[in-house]
Amino acid sequence: LASGQLTFRAGSLQRSPAIARNQAPKADCAKGRVASRNVLGAMRTRRPLPRVRADIDPFLLTMIGSGLAGGVASTLLSNKQSVPAPVQDAAPAADKPITMDEVLEAQKNWANAIKTISSAYLNKGDYIKAASDAAGELYGYGNSKVLFKPTKAAEFPFRPTGAEAMSYFVGGDVVENGYHEDGGFAINGGKGWSNVVFTNHQVDLNGNTAVAMGSYVFTCATTGAESKVEYTFGYKRNADGKVRIFLHHSSVPYKEQVAPVTLKEVEECQAKWANAIKSISATYLEKGDFIKAAGDAAGELYGYGNTNVLFKPTKAAEFPFRPTG
């Protein structure tokens, strides 16, 4: 628009005086039809144009129409932009990753449960209920598979059900269909535990599961003696959002044990000893190095340098015992 043609006053639209003088306030329908043919070209059939009221300024009509169209378009765009984005479904509670704090909390609760069960037993309380409540809270029985290999279980080393776990913790003689080998680990066979201390070797966090490996030390409530056991615990977040044990393996630290001596080995040693005596004697009689032959035989047949040797020779009176090679 040329400058000065439009002026705005308090939100209303008014025509410039210059425009008012140059344009007549009346709309000539005949001239309008001619102008339409000039723009649209000749048409075989045309619908007659609607009659425009003579008292309405055509310029104002044009501006109002433009404003209405712009307003509608603006409203449509505004409504389109204001449409809320689709709401994403929240992740299921079971998929939430397990944190280190939750692993440590689960271990603390396990240790406290052992002490609570022992205390209830020693104080003549309902230790079986205490164990049942703890098992439901700490282990995933009824929520997932549980891989449980207790420390003191030989005949029935694996406990896949809650009932079998209860037999192990409180004793096979106080639960239905309990195992006779179970003396009640949680009550220490009647002596109880006063403390349990976890020491993690490593903890591996894997989304909604975690695995911890290390050792825990149990203190006997009666004697104060300490027992060290090695563990592997697996934790899983269940559908209710709680972290529970789905893997538990415990074992006592490995101790190397010497294999028992067999009768065959005894007889072989005796045969070697007899042959060594004959070999040393033959070497001596043949003017050979019988001292070396005796030294080799002693190193092979006697435990000098490997263990204590209690040697009392036949012909030894002043020095009857020979503890060294």
Side-chain angles (χ1 to χ4, degrees):
L1 295 176
S3 61
Q5 290 182 343
L6 292 179
T7 59
F8 294 89
R9 292 180 182 176
S12 64
L13 177 65
Q14 293 187 353
R15 298 181 64 198
S16 169
I19 298 176
R21 288 194 300 270
N22 295 334
Q23 295 183 7
K26 295 181 180 180
D28 190 331
C29 295
K31 292 181 180 180
R33 288 194 291 272
V34 173
S36 298
R37 285 196 292 271
N38 291 337
V39 174
L40 300 175
M43 299 177 64
R44 294 182 179 178
T45 58
R46 295 186 298 273
R47 289 185 300 174
L49 295 174
R51 185 176 297 278
V52 180
R53 286 175 54 184
D55 60 341
I56 298 178
D57 189 342
F59 177 80
L60 183 59
L61 289 174
T62 302
M63 296 301 295
I64 292 174
S66 299
L68 288 174
V72 171
S74 175
T75 301
L76 290 175
L77 289 174
S78 175
N79 289 342
K80 182 177 181 181
Q81 292 174 352
S82 63
V83 174
V87 178
Q88 298 292 336
D89 293 336
D95 293 338
K96 183 180 178 182
I98 294 177
T99 66
M100 178 64 77
D101 287 343
E102 288 179 308
V103 171
L104 298 178
E105 182 72 14
Q107 293 178 338
K108 183 183 74 173
N109 292 340
W110 194 93
N112 287 337
I114 294 296
K115 292 186 288 184
T116 299
I117 297 167
S118 287
S119 177
Y121 174 82
L122 295 174
N123 292 318
K124 311 300 182 183
D126 192 351
Y127 69 98
I128 297 177
K129 181 180 184 304
S132 178
D133 293 343
E137 186 69 20
L138 299 172
Y139 287 82
Y141 294 111
N143 294 280
S144 69
K145 291 182 178 179
V146 177
L147 287 67
F148 182 21
K149 164 61 179 74
T151 309
K152 298 180 177 181
E155 187 177 355
F156 302 98
F158 307 111
R159 305 299 172 92
T161 68
E164 291 171 295
M166 280 293 293
S167 174
Y168 177 73
F169 281 118
V170 299
D173 57 343
V174 296
V175 298
E176 186 177 358
N177 298 321
Y179 297 141
H180 67 276
E181 69 173 342
D182 295 334
F185 180 84
I187 60 175
N188 193 19
K191 293 178 289 186
W193 301 110
S194 61
N195 199 23
V196 183
V197 178
F198 276 77
T199 301
N200 288 312
H201 165 62
Q202 279 195 5
V203 177
D204 188 24
L205 303 177
N206 293 283
N208 68 339
T209 64
V211 178
M213 178 178 285
S215 61
Y216 35 19
V217 176
F218 297 82
T219 302
C220 179
T222 302
T223 66
E226 294 184 343
S227 301
K228 183 178 181 180
V229 182
E230 296 165 343
Y231 64 76
T232 299
F233 276 97
Y235 302 95
K236 179 182 293 185
R237 191 181 301 282
N238 298 141
D240 60 359
K242 293 185 178 181
V243 175
R244 294 184 177 89
I245 298 166
F246 79 94
L247 166 66
H248 181 188
H249 180 282
S250 290
S251 59
V252 295
Y254 172 75
K255 291 182 179 180
E256 186 176 2
Q257 296 180 349
V258 179
V261 176
T262 65
L263 178 59
K264 181 179 179 181
E265 288 175 316
V266 170
E267 292 173 344
E268 287 179 353
C269 284
Q270 291 175 337
K272 289 179 180 179
W273 194 92
N275 289 333
I277 294 296
K278 293 187 289 181
S279 177
I280 297 168
S281 291
T283 302
Y284 173 81
L285 294 175
E286 295 172 0
K287 309 300 182 182
D289 192 351
F290 66 96
I291 296 177
K292 181 179 182 303
D296 292 343
E300 182 68 20
L301 299 172
Y302 287 78
Y304 295 111
N306 296 283
T307 183
N308 291 329
V309 176
L310 285 66
F311 181 22
K312 166 58 179 75
T314 307
K315 298 179 178 181
E318 186 178 355
F319 303 100
F321 307 109
R322 307 298 170 93
T324 68

